[in-house]
């Protein structure tokens, strides 16, 4: 099935609902239920099914999973429904725990800041990434969509000036 296939969506939602009906709420932290809630939230339309999406995200947030990927998915879903502060807080949660790849989390944070329109915080994040040793220029360039070009060039100036071209001798074929 393709993910945009209505039959797939219907069957997947039925499976998630079946799991929810069968599960025992004994466990305070049920990682499988968190995955079910995230999967269901991702299948729902953020506009027309806003309350259901939010309810599923909050299921995860009440007992945050230890898996940084599920936390990242939850953060993206918060951003999708316009809850940018919650999205930022959960990405920061992953960064603070040191789970996963720092540049990946910073890139996600940049996407969320851009969606939110918080260009000032995005500029600070890019400055932090430029001064760090983990991010590469293309990681940073991936986040600059909403930034004015002059600001981007000013922010990346030192990194750009460090680029040293090299030329190798090459022989042309006759």
């Amino acid at each position: 099935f393709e993910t945009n296939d209505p039959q797939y969506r219907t069957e997947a939602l039925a499976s998630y609902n079946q799991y929810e009906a069968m599960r025992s709420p004994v466990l305070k932290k049920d990682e499988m239920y968190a995955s079910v809630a995230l999967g269901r939230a991702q299948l729902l339309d953020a506009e027309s099914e806003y309350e259901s999406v939010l309810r599923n995200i909050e299921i995860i947030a009440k007992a945050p999973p230890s898996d940084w990927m599920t936390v990242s998915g939850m953060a993206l879903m918060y951003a999708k429904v316009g809850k940018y502060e919650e999205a930022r807080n959960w990405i920061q949660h992953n960064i603070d725990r040191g789970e996963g790849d720092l540049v990946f989390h910073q890139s996600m944070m940049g996407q969320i800041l851009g969606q939110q329109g918080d260009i000032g915080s995005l500029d600070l994040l890019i400055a932090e990434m430029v001064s760090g040793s983990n991010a590469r220029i293309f990681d940073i360039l991936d986040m600059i969509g909403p930034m004015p070009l002059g600001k981007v060039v000013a922010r990346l100036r030192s990194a750009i000036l460090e680029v040293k071209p090299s030329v190798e001798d090459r022989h042309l074929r006759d």
Side-chain angles (χ1 to χ4, degrees):
F1 295 113
E2 292 182 20
T3 55
N4 60 357
D5 183 343
Q7 182 181 352
Y8 169 79
R9 181 183 184 275
T10 301
E11 289 175 10
L13 287 172
S15 295
Y16 291 143
N17 293 338
Q18 183 179 7
Y19 177 84
E20 186 170 29
M22 293 178 359
R23 81 179 263 285
S24 174
V26 174
L27 301 173
K28 270 185 156 181
K29 197 171 195 174
D30 186 344
E31 299 274 339
M32 181 62 90
Y33 188 43
S35 294
V36 166
L38 179 59
R40 186 170 33 208
Q42 291 170 332
L43 286 173
L44 299 172
D45 180 67
E47 288 182 25
S48 66
E49 299 171 291
Y50 176 85
E51 291 300 322
S52 293
V53 171
L54 201 53
R55 183 180 67 79
N56 279 281
I57 301 168
E58 289 172 352
I59 287 170
I60 306 165
K62 286 179 185 171
S66 56
D67 175 32
W68 65 268
M69 290 186 292
T70 304
V71 172
S72 296
M74 175 180 58
L76 289 175
M77 290 308 300
Y78 268 124
K80 189 174 180 180
V81 296
K83 300 274 188 177
Y84 298 112
E85 287 306 312
E86 289 87 343
R88 289 168 67 166
N89 290 339
W90 285 110
I91 295 298
Q92 190 62 50
H93 172 77
N94 273 346
I95 292 170
D96 293 345
R97 290 186 317 163
E99 297 286 328
D101 180 62
L102 176 62
V103 174
F104 173 78
H105 295 312
Q106 289 173 320
S107 295
M108 285 186 64
M109 183 70 83
Q111 289 175 12
I112 292 165
L113 293 170
Q115 288 173 9
Q116 187 179 17
D118 188 347
I119 303 304
S121 295
L122 180 58
D123 184 42
L124 291 173
L125 175 63
I126 290 172
E128 179 184 327
M129 290 177 76
V130 167
S131 67
S133 60
N134 293 334
R136 294 176 300 250
I137 295 298
F138 66 84
D139 294 319
I140 297 165
L141 289 174
D142 189 43
M143 299 184 334
I144 63 168
M147 259 191 164
L149 185 58
K151 245 186 180 182
V152 172
V153 171
R155 181 60 65 203
L156 298 177
R157 186 176 194 282
S158 63
I160 292 169
L161 292 175
E162 289 177 17
V163 173
K164 295 188 176 25
S166 65
V167 179
E168 294 179 18
D169 281 338
R170 293 188 182 193
H171 298 287
L172 298 174
R173 291 185 191 172
D174 292 327

